[in-house]
Amino acid sequence: MTTAALIEELKTLVEPGKVLTDADSLATYGKDWTKHFAPAPCAIVFPKSTEQVQAIVRWANQHRVALVPSGGRTGLSAAAVAANGEVVVSFDYMNQILEFNEFDRTAVCQPGVITQQLQDFAEDKGLYYPVDFASAGSSQIGGNIGTNAGGIKVIRYGMTRNWVAGLKVVTGTGELLELNKDLIKNATGYDLRQLFIGAEGTLGFVVEATMRLDRAPRNLTAMVLGTPDFDSIMPVLHAFQGKLDLTAFEFFSDRCLDKILDRGDVPAPFETRTPFYALLEFEATTEEVAEAALATFEHCVEQGWVLDGVMSQSEQQLQNLWKLREYISETISHFTPYKNDISVTVSKVPAFLADIDSLVNSNYPDFEVLWYGHIGDGNLHLNILKPDALSKDEFFAKCATVNKWVFEVVQKYNGSISAEHGVGMTKRDYLGYSRSAAEIGYMKAIKAVFDPAGIMNPGKIFPL
Ligand code: S2G
Ligand code: ZN
């Protein structure tokens, strides 16, 4: 059957106008935020119901057509990139919050619900959806589940995985499964829900997600602390964790602050400039908590771990401090950064950072290296900015040669080559640095069970 005939048949499975093949749509929906692969899907299809998703999957099985899931397209590992003539399945028209259960404190979402939409919905109900990150304004719940998105509040609230009470999925054979029934307790064998969280659309499609909500935090207060070096950051984390129940502990380098201040729309946290900054947050529920925070700040200054600092006194100042960290990603995106998103257990961070930093400095002496991330989770974002003199391909090729050494250090510290951005295509060739051959074998066997025809997002996660 010709591609044109296939697409004509695909159109009969959805509403009129819900299959696009024009060049702009193919380019727009065939990619995510990565720039490593040229998008080249053959069509974009927009189902509006679970039944239509099932029909599309059955059609794809019948004709052996590869399907690529597409949500907010904010992914950073090319997991939602269609580079080989696949059909992109976009959930833009399955974007409703279907139900709210006050007593269960859950919201039933279609996969196309924007993360921020759920956060605002929870707030309107006097509750809180705690998974948050820079792209929450455009990422979708289905994609957050597909990548087990983390972000800036993981130290207190965990990853997306912690907030999924139940899932309805269409497997790679078109079968509809209802997983975990939104139960808190359910000891009835394998928790298949967890397999789909972080599977990057390689096992099937999420068509409905029951998301847990939490109580709203009270009087969130942030501090930004200037530190003299890497080695001071973890003692600061340890000191504050001993006194406060932190909701966030992030860090960024002075080079990141340079880029943010160059924007001209975010004030500096304080006069002093220091090599690194920690941003921490807690609920100042009482005067005592705020006093404990200040006392701990004084202690860190006495120890020489902190050179200067500021504590937010208002909502506006809280937001301004967060902009210093949350604006980094979008601010540096036009430098075509080569990104690594690596993690180790928190206790190993100082030694790990020292190894990676010396390796990076010796191998990228003339590249601008930016460090930032969720250091309280042991998660570091290493971004190398493309020099103007190098083409993107030359630059990415140079960076890729150092990847081997970076991932050997990750392996040495028993860490992850992808802490929260997923594997997709950008990290699939390095999977062996974090997963054993046996594990990869089992993962492939599980994929074969849910997607025997191999039509679900082929070429992602697993080395080719
Ligand atoms: C962050 C966002 C994507 C990136 O800012 O925490 O996960 O690496 C990142 O720029
Ligand atoms: Zn991050």
Side-chain angles (χ1 to χ4, degrees):
M1 204 178 206
T2 64
T3 303
L6 279 173
I7 291 170
E8 285 313 305
E9 199 175 73
L10 177 61
K11 288 177 180 174
T12 66
L13 307 178
V14 292
E15 292 184 5
K18 293 292 180 287
V19 175
L20 300 178
T21 55
D22 63 285
D24 282 352
S25 300
L26 296 180
T28 302
Y29 286 92
K31 67 178 191 308
D32 59 14
W33 273 3
T34 55
K35 298 178 175 120
H36 298 245
F37 305 91
C42 71
I44 319 298
V45 63
F46 298 88
K48 293 189 74 173
S49 69
T50 297
E51 294 70 23
Q52 288 179 4
V53 174
Q54 289 181 279
I56 292 164
V57 173
R58 291 191 189 109
W59 169 84
N61 272 277
Q62 186 189 343
H63 300 293
R64 289 291 188 276
V65 172
L67 301 177
V68 174
S70 176
R73 303 188 302 283
T74 60
L76 289 155
S77 61
V81 170
N84 303 295
E86 307 94 329
V87 167
V88 171
V89 181
S90 167
F91 289 95
D92 283 5
Y93 289 88
M94 291 177 70
N95 61 357
Q96 296 305 304
I97 297 176
L98 300 173
E99 214 179 300
F100 169 63
N101 300 299
E102 184 180 358
F103 294 101
D104 298 328
R105 286 184 163 186
T106 58
V108 181
C109 300
Q110 290 189 304
V113 167
I114 303 292
T115 312
Q116 175 110 45
Q117 189 185 340
L118 179 58
Q119 291 170 341
D120 296 346
F121 178 87
E123 193 175 347
D124 292 347
K125 301 293 184 186
L127 295 170
Y128 183 58
Y129 180 65
V131 180
D132 195 15
F133 35 78
S135 58
S138 39
S139 65
Q140 294 180 7
I141 287 297
N144 297 167
I145 291 166
T147 56
N148 186 26
I152 56 175
K153 305 283 184 153
V154 168
I155 196 170
R156 159 76 85 73
Y157 296 102
M159 312 279 280
T160 296
R161 183 179 301 285
N162 297 59
W163 297 90
V164 178
L167 281 182
K168 283 182 184 165
V169 300
V170 173
T171 68
T173 62
E175 195 167 14
L176 178 62
L177 299 179
E178 182 177 1
L179 304 177
N180 197 54
K181 304 178 195 311
D182 309 351
L183 295 166
I184 293 172
K185 291 193 165 177
N186 179 11
T188 55
Y190 301 109
D191 184 348
L192 301 182
R193 159 192 50 162
Q194 297 301 344
L195 283 178
F196 280 80
I197 301 171
E200 300 181 24
T202 58
L203 303 180
F205 290 112
V206 171
V207 288
E208 211 171 279
T210 302
M211 305 307 287
R212 286 198 198 295
L213 306 175
D214 202 20
R215 69 161 179 83
R218 291 183 289 273
N219 197 18
L220 283 174
T221 300
M223 297 178 87
V224 170
L225 308 173
T227 67
D229 49 36
F230 267 147
D231 289 344
S232 302
I233 299 173
M234 299 319 275
V236 170
L237 168 64
H238 192 62
F240 276 90
Q241 268 187 324
K243 298 289 183 197
L244 300 175
D245 182 10
L246 295 176
T247 52
F249 193 92
E250 300 284 312
F251 93 115
F252 51 92
S253 66
D254 199 38
R255 277 183 177 165
C256 294
L257 183 58
D258 269 340
K259 301 290 181 229
I260 295 294
L261 298 183
D262 286 351
R263 293 166 59 107
D265 60 353
V266 183
F270 35 73
E271 274 304 302
T272 322
R273 292 297 291 270
T274 58
F276 295 96
Y277 302 85
L279 183 158
L280 63 93
E281 183 189 67
F282 57 94
E283 290 178 271
T285 44
T286 63
E287 261 310 299
E288 288 73 23
V289 171
E291 283 159 11
L294 289 172
T296 309
F297 166 67
E298 294 301 338
H299 170 68
C300 291
V301 171
E302 283 155 18
Q303 297 296 318
W305 301 328
V306 169
L307 303 175
D308 199 349
V310 65
M311 183 155 97
S312 62
Q313 303 295 328
S314 67
E315 179 62 24
Q316 183 55 60
Q317 207 182 7
L318 173 73
Q319 299 311 325
N320 281 344
L321 293 181
W322 267 113
K323 286 174 186 173
L324 299 168
R325 169 64 183 84
E326 288 215 278
Y327 279 12
I328 294 172
S329 184
E330 69 173 60
T331 303
I332 65 172
S333 63
H334 72 273
F335 292 99
T336 319
Y338 190 86
K339 294 175 155 327
N340 264 313
D341 159 43
I342 47 188
S343 64
V344 292
T345 51
V346 174
S347 59
K348 294 177 185 165
V349 165
F352 175 66
L353 264 179
D355 274 12
I356 293 273
D357 198 43
S358 64
L359 181 141
V360 162
N361 290 331
S362 53
N363 285 283
Y364 295 122
D366 46 355
F367 285 178
E368 196 173 3
V369 176
L370 270 60
W371 281 105
Y372 58 96
H374 324 278
I375 199 162
D377 316 328
N379 179 191
L380 312 172
H381 292 316
L382 163 62
N383 281 242
I384 298 119
L385 307 191
K386 186 182 80 64
D388 293 338
L390 283 183
S391 74
K392 187 181 75 170
D393 293 345
E394 286 169 319
F395 170 62
F396 280 171
K398 264 193 114 170
C399 291
T401 57
V402 183
N403 259 358
K404 202 171 68 64
W405 295 308
V406 168
F407 293 143
E408 278 168 3
V409 175
V410 169
Q411 190 170 40
K412 170 182 160 192
Y413 285 90
N414 214 18
S416 175
I417 60 157
S418 182
E420 58 175 7
H421 296 165
V423 181
M425 290 196 278
T426 57
K427 297 294 188 303
R428 68 185 172 199
D429 296 333
Y430 307 104
L431 190 62
Y433 285 101
S434 287
R435 306 302 295 269
S436 68
E439 282 185 286
I440 294 172
Y442 276 97
M443 289 198 283
K444 285 181 173 175
I446 288 168
K447 176 169 170 72
V449 168
F450 285 99
D451 174 29
I455 53 126
M456 288 306 305
N457 216 5
K460 311 301 179 16
I461 298 185
F462 302 111
L464 289 179

